Amino acid sequence: MADEIITSKNNDTVKFLLSLSDKSVRERTGSFLLEGKRAVGEAVEAKLATHIIVSQGYAKEKEYSVVKTWRLPTTVLSDGMFSRISETKTPQGIAAVCKIKKYNLQTVLEEEKSILLLEDVRDPGNMGTVIRTAAAAGFGGIIASDGCVDVYNSKVVRSTVGCLFKTKIIQCKGSFLNITEEIKNKGFCLYAAHPRGGKDLFDTEFSRKTAVVLGNEANGLSNAMLKQCDSLVTIRMEKGVESLNASVAAALMMYEVRRKK
């Protein structure tokens, strides 16, 4: 029997998909919307996809037979309605509703040796790139302050290019300073990325349990957070260059940690 094709914006499934653009709805339902062939495949592999959404055009493609093998609830939207729920200019025609996986902080701190701490990173593109780089560099945990952009924001999700499920992400509530103190008590040394006055990155020796700490794009780390850190680390730059992009600085630090370990 042919799949029913949904064409109405008043359909309950369409309304739910559109509502997932709201952070409060994502938090309440524990779900977010993910787009793209590769990303959806990663979500299915991670067993976090709960509902597959495809466009009418995609349902006519050969690849749709693979979707059928996943044995997940699947909804077909008209091409116009799929464009309505998509936040990309050229949708690939496939999306998934996914569960937000929750991680226990204590477990992450016991299992991982290299983690990333993010204080008030606000730019979705930076956040997505940092998540992608952390996964590539072998950083198994990312601890983000309450002031950071929501990791499940659609722009962040797209920027991770399918790497969202390859590292353990915890978005904290409450005092980030208390959380960092807890992290230090678990044996981690905190290395703050700082534009001036720190030890040269390439001369820094990292501890067995390393936490790289990155701050807000415009203001850097707060003074209170800098006092919490064990070492300030500076990436050497030519004269006249004020600072590096936050995601670039994070990448350089994480890969230097990886190289030295």
Side-chain angles (χ1 to χ4, degrees):
M1 191 170 98
D3 292 298
E4 178 189 358
I5 298 167
I6 294 173
T7 60
S8 172
K9 65 181 181 181
N10 295 318
N11 177 272
D12 287 344
T13 297
V14 172
K15 287 180 179 178
F16 174 65
L17 295 172
L18 290 170
S19 75
L20 290 175
S21 63
D22 188 322
K23 180 182 177 181
S24 65
V25 174
R26 293 195 296 270
E27 289 181 343
R28 177 170 53 79
T29 63
S31 300
F32 69 102
L33 189 65
L34 180 74
E35 288 187 62
K37 299 175 186 178
R38 180 178 173 182
V40 170
E42 294 276 0
V44 171
E45 187 178 337
K47 297 187 179 353
L48 292 173
T50 60
H51 192 159
I52 306 299
I53 315 296
V54 299
S55 68
Q56 185 177 0
Y58 190 91
K60 295 176 182 177
E61 294 181 14
K62 188 176 180 180
E63 291 175 334
Y64 186 50
S65 61
V66 176
V67 173
K68 290 288 192 180
T69 68
W70 293 340
R71 299 188 181 283
L72 289 168
T74 302
T75 297
V76 181
L77 304 182
S78 67
D79 292 343
M81 198 53 58
F82 191 92
S83 294
R84 191 181 185 92
I85 65 116
S86 172
E87 294 195 18
T88 62
K89 289 182 179 179
T90 54
Q92 292 182 15
I94 183 167
V97 177
C98 301
K99 291 184 291 187
I100 295 173
K101 189 166 183 179
K102 301 292 185 182
Y103 294 95
N104 178 271
L105 178 62
Q106 296 303 320
T107 302
V108 171
L109 297 180
E110 288 167 7
E111 292 177 347
E112 303 301 333
K113 298 293 184 289
S114 299
I115 63 173
L116 187 63
L117 306 186
L118 304 176
E119 184 189 41
D120 298 351
V121 173
R122 302 281 174 81
D123 182 82
N126 278 337
M127 178 63 85
T129 303
V130 165
I131 292 170
R132 185 181 180 189
T133 307
F139 273 60
I142 297 176
I143 319 297
S145 76
D146 196 24
C148 286
V149 62
D150 179 24
V151 168
Y152 299 99
N153 171 302
S154 61
K155 292 180 181 178
V156 176
V157 173
R158 285 200 302 277
S159 297
T160 67
V161 195
C163 290
L164 190 61
F165 309 113
K166 296 185 182 300
T167 188
K168 300 163 187 170
I169 303 172
I170 297 175
Q171 294 187 278
C172 300
K173 300 290 184 185
S175 171
F176 200 51
L177 294 177
N178 289 343
I179 291 165
T180 55
E181 190 63 43
E182 194 173 343
I183 291 167
K184 291 180 71 170
N185 289 338
K186 284 290 185 179
F188 281 86
C189 285
L190 274 56
Y191 298 85
H194 198 268
R196 288 168 293 278
K199 188 170 184 177
D200 188 286
L201 171 63
F202 301 124
D203 295 331
T204 301
E205 294 298 327
F206 296 96
S207 67
R208 191 177 71 87
K209 298 184 77 171
T210 294
V212 170
V213 191
L214 192 72
N216 176 266
E217 292 88 347
N219 304 313
L221 290 164
S222 66
N223 289 332
M225 180 59 72
L226 287 171
K227 289 177 182 177
Q228 286 268 54
C229 293
D230 300 288
S231 180
L232 304 187
V233 180
T234 297
I235 299 167
R236 188 167 54 237
M237 295 180 289
E238 295 297 318
K239 289 182 179 179
V241 180
E242 181 66 23
S243 63
L244 290 170
N245 172 275
S247 60
V248 172
L252 287 168
M253 287 192 66
M254 286 190 283
Y255 267 94
E256 184 64 7
V257 171
R258 181 186 177 104
R259 187 182 74 84
K260 285 179 174 167
K261 284 192 175 185

